[in-house]
Amino acid sequence: MAETRTTDPYRTYLREDQIPTAWYNLRADMPEKPEPMRLPNGKVATVDNIAPVFARALCEQELDDDTAYFDIPEPVMEMYRVYRPSPLCRAYNLERALGTPAKIYYKFEGNNTSGSHKLNSALAQAYYAYAEGITNITTETGAGQWGTALSEAAAHFGLSLDVYMVKCSYEQKPFRRSVMQTFGATITPSPSDTTAAGRKILASDPTCTGSLGTAISEAVERALNVPGNKGRYQLGSVLNQVLLHQSVIGLESYEALAELGEYPDIVIGCCGGGSNFGGLIAPFMRDKLNGAHPDTRFIGVEPASCPSLTRGVYAYDFADTGQTCPLCKMYTLGSGFIPSPDHAGGLRYHGMSPVVSKLKHDGYMEAVAVKQTDVFAAAEQFAKLETILPAPESSHAILQAIREAERCRETGEAKTILFGLTGTGYFDMVAYDKYNRGELEDHIPTDEELQVGFNTIPHIPGLQ
Amino acid sequence: MAETRTTDPYRTYLREDQIPTAWYNLRADMPEKPEPMRLPNGKVATVDNIAPVFARALCEQELDDDTAYFDIPEPVMEMYRVYRPSPLCRAYNLERALGTPAKIYYKFEGNNTSGSHKLNSALAQAYYAYAEGITNITTETGAGQWGTALSEAAAHFGLSLDVYMVKCSYEQKPFRRSVMQTFGATITPSPSDTTAAGRKILASDPTCTGSLGTAISEAVERALNVPGNKGRYQLGSVLNQVLLHQSVIGLESYEALAELGEYPDIVIGCCGGGSNFGGLIAPFMRDKLNGAHPDTRFIGVEPASCPSLTRGVYAYDFADTGQTCPLCKMYTLGSGFIPSPDHAGGLRYHGMSPVVSKLKHDGYMEAVAVKQTDVFAAAEQFAKLETILPAPESSHAILQAIREAERCRETGEAKTILFGLTGTGYFDMVAYDKYNRGELEDHIPTDEELQVGFNTIPHIPGLQ
């Protein structure tokens, strides 16, 4: 059984003193910067513009395209030490089963109670709010990983947290709700009657099962209505600040691979809003941009049912359905796009991180869209071989890693593949059950269906 | 925030080459051995007697009180390397919150998909069955951690697995069932009409919600009925072989503490059948028995609703309700004892590992029984501080560790406490919800209720 094994261990753990002490801001090393965030009137957003919504330190990180490193505050480091470094894993069992000469590594971020990489940014965002005297934070959650992570972070820093949970998830994932409540968060199914945005939607459709875009609108409104300017909204993906915090994934991967004498030929991550992918690729993309490793391939993997990178347009668009947030230039399906409710595999957001979008637009990375039935097949294969039951989101990356490794089997190339295993699927068993019963189907939007979403992209004179 | 921190890391991971390559058999170093397993006729059981039920290599491990070390077979080592070593964690956040001078360490076994330490023995048992040409294995599961672990192990070694799941758990924990099915196991709610034992119980009580003892009877019967002598039964706790395999927990803890220059003053583990506790304490108890560390305290923590160690009798008893299995000398409440259905915290078995029972009987360890409402309070405190949502079972140990640390605060003693954090509570949210709603109650059996169970303990002439 051990015949293909090298001396590399199955799991490489860095020492605690190797946890990065600063986040890396890839934007500082991008020769062409992402397009700036803009207000609905077309003007470039300033820190003062967005400070009512986000903690000031986070606003500064959001808009800073020049500072390469931001020191991680000590209280955040303290909590990183509780669950980091995360392991860099060699998928020997998977390699053997595929009969591939490729080496497959994955960075596993699921070994914490939030079950995913989301905790990396949740702790940072909660800390900055706490440090600025904020008492109440709000957010939205769909699948629940971000909400769980922020619940843990809020509990640690003593913040009151209101989570707007997409109603269909609230009903289908009662245990996600329970975990968040155990950490002390208040959970409201969205759309709700607690906000004007929610009441408006309920008035037109009392049975609405919600969307991420709607939950964002409600959470932002709720934060702005906390008395005494003590409320702020926090978001788990898309934003530059989130990719900055998630750079710990890439930095640790980089260091662990260096200890093994490895450098990846291909880096693969799932793409919803881009938080994991953007964090994972950061130091490797730096090496591509500066010519140190020009040939590394980067592949973002998205669901065919919500294909922003592969079928979206690169345009300024709103982050929320209510169209009240600032605009980002990104690959988008339009804030009015709603993926099929049959879609189980997460990654349901209409847009994409401006950083990831810019890299894709400028040709530094590839993107592929995959079917959820293939994703769950890869998830089960991986679970049986590697004994980790992966989150459906993470399994998009697994599928692509398998496909690349199979290509290596055909060509005989011993490539080094790195992918991000963002989390575990313990709260996704309804979807696994559906797959096991053969009831999971793929709904790939037609061009006509996509056009409905595109029609919600704003046309702002002089911008697009 | 870091004021009380020493240079010890939050998490200590041994290197892969430090994973133990042999299991340690504490029985070899016990001056007085546990009483031998016996057949219902009172005769001491031999390997041949029990070989129809267990794989032969496991029978040999079960009955061997002399061999101190058993090499871990390479295919088992290969899988250990996929998820071991498990981290030894310093509970700095908990220490700070308690204001205790004590150092609190915990060995965390929950970072694998089975969610607990059960995988350590599941891989061993499945491997030996596979190596002996067995094609079908059977088992029972209650809370589902053991069933999940064995499902993973069976999938890895290509064995067909039938799991009899206590019916009330089958209905209350559908996602546990889903995980096992994802790994390819067949799950049958017990009592069922697939066995004579199940049909007998259903005939007398068609609405019976099942018990571990009944599920064991069904699983054993099922294993014996596999054609061609190709079926075997496997058990996740109580047995000597299981404690042997779980010694990896203690051996790794011992090594990691040694690297930190530490030795525990107090070792604490939850006790259901004794698999985790017996594995955790093994090398430390050796040091107590041979006089190297005579003053170490060992504390087994059990639920007040199922108090075998603290209120049971030390007697030969059956492992199963059907009274078809061999007898073990152990602390027992009688195979007819059924804990209150309100009891949510696991650890519901009527008996206790013969090794643990012997150590308790001879005065080498202590035992305490705790209330589940206190257990869940400790679980939530721990989750918020250490960001791990613990299994209710593990939380019995957390509670006792907190109590010992609080005692240190009163006395000013800087003791070193080690406890076993056996797993995560992601599939126990129904119980957490109940606790959060204030609906969890303690049901402590009266002496009269215990007597009903004691009346089912067999009286075999010359034995007791």
Side-chain angles (χ1 to χ4, degrees):
Chain A
M1 234 175 211
E3 72 285 356
T4 64
R5 237 196 122 197
T6 69
T7 53
D8 287 359
Y10 276 82
R11 298 283 184 265
T12 300
Y13 285 96
L14 298 174
R15 295 186 316 274
E16 182 179 289
D17 60 11
Q18 293 174 300
I19 299 173
T21 56
W23 294 301
Y24 170 59
N25 182 12
L26 177 62
R27 285 168 286 159
D29 291 321
M30 289 170 72
E32 292 178 68
K33 309 295 183 192
E35 303 294 327
M37 183 183 282
R38 290 181 189 270
L39 304 179
N41 64 11
K43 289 190 180 160
V44 172
T46 66
V47 167
D48 284 342
N49 290 148
I50 59 176
V53 177
F54 303 114
R56 183 161 286 268
L58 295 168
C59 297
E60 288 164 0
Q61 292 176 355
E62 187 65 31
L63 303 183
D64 188 334
D65 286 351
D66 302 309
T67 305
Y69 288 93
F70 287 87
D71 284 345
I72 303 175
E74 181 55 26
V76 178
M77 281 302 299
E78 281 289 290
M79 288 303 286
Y80 278 5
R81 293 185 189 109
V82 174
Y83 71 99
R84 305 201 68 82
S86 69
L88 179 78
C89 310
R90 176 78 183 268
Y92 280 118
N93 288 344
L94 180 61
E95 290 173 22
R96 284 179 199 124
L98 297 175
T100 178
K103 296 180 188 177
I104 307 175
Y105 292 92
Y106 57 95
K107 179 71 167 168
F108 179 40
E109 292 286 324
N111 272 351
N112 69 72
T113 286
S114 82
S116 80
H117 68 296
K118 294 291 187 185
L119 194 53
N120 300 328
S121 186
L123 287 165
Q125 294 189 45
Y127 166 72
Y128 285 119
Y130 157 80
E132 294 178 18
I134 304 304
T135 56
N136 292 63
I137 55 176
T138 72
T139 198
E140 80 297 324
T141 201
Q145 290 182 329
W146 168 246
T148 306
L150 198 58
S151 300
E152 292 189 53
H156 182 70
F157 289 109
L159 301 171
S160 177
L161 171 63
D162 278 296
V163 179
Y164 286 86
M165 187 169 186
V166 177
K167 192 178 281 176
C168 59
S169 294
Y170 181 90
E171 284 158 5
Q172 287 167 12
K173 297 192 173 191
F175 296 156
R176 268 286 178 206
R177 185 177 71 203
S178 308
V179 178
M180 292 186 269
Q181 286 169 337
T182 295
F183 282 101
T186 301
I187 320 298
T188 305
S190 168
S192 76
D193 62 3
T194 66
T195 65
R199 286 189 295 271
K200 186 175 164 192
I201 287 168
L202 286 175
S204 68
D205 178 6
T207 63
C208 175
T209 57
S211 74
L212 269 179
T214 300
I216 292 174
S217 296
E218 288 205 82
V220 171
E221 179 183 331
R222 172 82 177 171
L224 291 171
N225 286 332
V226 173
N229 193 28
K230 294 288 194 187
R232 290 295 183 279
Y233 164 73
Q234 308 200 322
L235 180 64
S237 192
V238 183
L239 295 173
N240 295 336
Q241 61 188 267
V242 180
L243 268 71
L244 174 70
H245 306 148
Q246 296 296 356
S247 68
V248 294
I249 305 171
L251 293 169
E252 282 185 7
S253 302
Y254 194 94
E255 176 90 4
L257 284 169
E259 283 200 353
L260 299 171
E262 294 280 2
Y263 196 92
D265 298 300
I266 307 172
V267 183
I268 299 169
C270 60
C271 277
S275 71
N276 157 70
F277 183 76
L280 174 68
I281 68 171
F284 304 103
M285 182 60 81
R286 174 196 59 205
D287 289 356
K288 185 182 182 85
L289 295 175
N290 69 19
H293 285 277
D295 297 328
T296 314
R297 289 175 59 205
F298 298 87
I299 310 175
V301 191
E302 63 183 9
S305 55
C306 190
S308 58
L309 276 171
T310 52
R311 297 176 69 197
V313 295
Y314 187 52
Y316 269 100
D317 195 10
F318 290 102
D320 68 324
T321 308
Q323 304 204 334
T324 57
C325 294
L327 296 111
C328 294
K329 180 102 179 228
M330 56 184 179
Y331 280 94
T332 180
L333 300 167
S335 62
F337 176 79
I338 306 282
S340 160
D342 293 339
H343 173 55
L347 314 175
R348 302 171 65 93
Y349 189 65
H350 67 274
M352 178 56 60
S353 147
V355 173
V356 173
S357 294
K358 178 69 175 167
L359 292 168
K360 168 68 167 56
H361 182 256
D362 291 352
Y364 293 110
M365 58 168 281
E366 308 158 43
V368 295
V370 297
K371 293 194 291 184
Q372 68 175 348
T373 45
D374 294 335
V375 165
F376 275 82
E380 291 211 357
Q381 181 180 17
F382 183 84
K384 287 178 182 166
L385 290 165
E386 294 288 322
T387 83
I388 295 171
L389 187 81
E393 295 79 9
S394 324
S395 304
H396 288 69
I398 294 172
L399 171 61
Q400 188 63 22
I402 290 173
R403 288 179 174 173
E404 294 294 336
E406 286 174 340
R407 242 163 251 148
C408 287
R409 184 179 60 208
E410 288 158 25
T411 63
E413 291 172 290
K415 289 191 176 167
T416 297
I417 298 170
L418 168 66
F419 74 87
L421 189 71
T422 56
T424 51
Y426 307 143
F427 293 92
D428 299 286
M429 296 319 300
V430 169
Y432 270 97
D433 272 349
K434 211 169 169 182
Y435 172 74
N436 286 332
R437 287 195 307 265
E439 293 171 7
L440 206 61
E441 293 181 0
D442 285 290
H443 181 85
I444 299 172
T446 62
D447 289 343
E448 290 70 25
E449 286 168 334
L450 287 186
Q451 191 57 51
V452 175
F454 293 154
N455 291 341
T456 65
I457 299 173
H459 288 272
I460 297 170
L463 269 190
Q464 54 207 18
Chain B
M1 232 174 211
E3 73 284 358
T4 63
R5 237 194 121 196
T6 68
T7 53
D8 287 359
Y10 276 83
R11 299 283 184 266
T12 300
Y13 284 96
L14 298 174
R15 295 186 316 274
E16 182 178 289
D17 60 11
Q18 293 174 300
I19 299 173
T21 56
W23 295 299
Y24 170 58
N25 182 13
L26 177 62
R27 285 168 286 159
D29 290 319
M30 289 170 71
E32 292 179 69
K33 308 295 183 191
E35 302 295 327
M37 183 183 283
R38 291 181 189 270
L39 303 178
N41 65 12
K43 288 191 180 160
V44 172
T46 66
V47 167
D48 284 341
N49 290 147
I50 59 176
V53 177
F54 303 113
R56 184 161 284 270
L58 294 169
C59 297
E60 288 164 359
Q61 293 176 353
E62 187 65 32
L63 302 183
D64 188 333
D65 286 351
D66 302 308
T67 306
Y69 289 93
F70 287 87
D71 284 345
I72 303 175
E74 181 54 26
V76 177
M77 280 303 297
E78 281 288 290
M79 288 303 285
Y80 277 5
R81 293 184 189 110
V82 174
Y83 71 99
R84 304 201 68 81
S86 70
L88 179 77
C89 310
R90 177 77 184 269
Y92 280 117
N93 287 344
L94 180 60
E95 290 172 21
R96 283 181 199 124
L98 297 174
T100 179
K103 296 180 189 176
I104 307 175
Y105 292 92
Y106 56 96
K107 180 71 167 168
F108 180 40
E109 292 286 324
N111 272 351
N112 68 72
T113 286
S114 82
S116 79
H117 67 296
K118 295 289 187 186
L119 193 55
N120 300 329
S121 186
L123 287 165
Q125 294 188 45
Y127 165 71
Y128 284 119
Y130 157 82
E132 293 178 18
I134 304 303
T135 56
N136 292 61
I137 55 175
T138 72
T139 198
E140 81 296 326
T141 201
Q145 290 183 329
W146 168 246
T148 306
L150 198 58
S151 299
E152 293 190 52
H156 182 72
F157 289 109
L159 301 171
S160 177
L161 170 62
D162 278 295
V163 180
Y164 286 86
M165 188 170 187
V166 178
K167 192 178 279 177
C168 59
S169 294
Y170 181 89
E171 284 158 6
Q172 286 167 13
K173 298 193 173 191
F175 296 156
R176 268 288 177 206
R177 184 177 73 204
S178 306
V179 178
M180 292 186 269
Q181 286 169 335
T182 295
F183 281 101
T186 301
I187 321 297
T188 305
S190 168
S192 76
D193 62 3
T194 67
T195 67
R199 286 189 293 272
K200 186 175 165 192
I201 287 169
L202 285 175
S204 67
D205 178 6
T207 63
C208 175
T209 57
S211 72
L212 268 179
T214 300
I216 293 173
S217 296
E218 289 204 81
V220 171
E221 180 183 330
R222 172 81 176 171
L224 291 171
N225 285 333
V226 173
N229 192 28
K230 295 287 194 188
R232 289 296 183 280
Y233 164 73
Q234 307 199 322
L235 181 63
S237 193
V238 183
L239 295 172
N240 295 336
Q241 61 188 266
V242 180
L243 269 71
L244 175 70
H245 306 147
Q246 295 297 357
S247 68
V248 294
I249 304 171
L251 294 169
E252 283 186 6
S253 303
Y254 194 93
E255 176 90 5
L257 283 169
E259 284 201 352
L260 299 171
E262 294 279 3
Y263 196 92
D265 299 299
I266 307 173
V267 183
I268 299 169
C270 59
C271 277
S275 72
N276 158 70
F277 183 77
L280 174 67
I281 69 171
F284 304 103
M285 182 59 83
R286 174 196 59 206
D287 288 356
K288 184 182 183 87
L289 295 175
N290 70 18
H293 285 277
D295 298 326
T296 314
R297 290 175 59 206
F298 297 87
I299 309 175
V301 192
E302 63 183 8
S305 56
C306 191
S308 59
L309 276 172
T310 52
R311 297 175 68 196
V313 296
Y314 187 53
Y316 270 101
D317 196 10
F318 290 102
D320 68 326
T321 308
Q323 303 203 337
T324 58
C325 293
L327 297 109
C328 294
K329 180 102 179 229
M330 57 185 178
Y331 281 94
T332 180
L333 299 167
S335 63
F337 176 80
I338 306 282
S340 160
D342 292 338
H343 173 57
L347 313 174
R348 301 170 65 93
Y349 188 65
H350 66 275
M352 179 55 60
S353 147
V355 172
V356 173
S357 295
K358 178 70 174 167
L359 293 169
K360 169 68 168 56
H361 182 256
D362 291 352
Y364 292 109
M365 58 167 281
E366 307 158 43
V368 294
V370 296
K371 293 195 291 184
Q372 67 175 350
T373 45
D374 293 336
V375 166
F376 275 82
E380 292 212 355
Q381 180 180 18
F382 184 84
K384 287 177 182 168
L385 290 166
E386 295 288 322
T387 83
I388 295 171
L389 187 82
E393 296 79 8
S394 325
S395 304
H396 288 69
I398 294 172
L399 171 61
Q400 188 63 23
I402 290 173
R403 288 179 174 172
E404 295 294 336
E406 286 173 340
R407 242 163 252 149
C408 288
R409 184 179 61 206
E410 288 158 23
T411 63
E413 292 173 289
K415 289 191 176 167
T416 297
I417 298 169
L418 167 67
F419 73 88
L421 189 72
T422 55
T424 51
Y426 308 144
F427 292 92
D428 299 286
M429 296 319 300
V430 169
Y432 270 98
D433 272 348
K434 211 168 169 182
Y435 173 73
N436 285 331
R437 288 195 306 264
E439 293 171 7
L440 207 61
E441 292 181 1
D442 284 290
H443 181 86
I444 300 171
T446 62
D447 288 344
E448 290 70 26
E449 285 168 335
L450 287 187
Q451 192 56 52
V452 175
F454 293 154
N455 290 342
T456 64
I457 298 173
H459 289 270
I460 298 170
L463 269 191
Q464 52 207 21

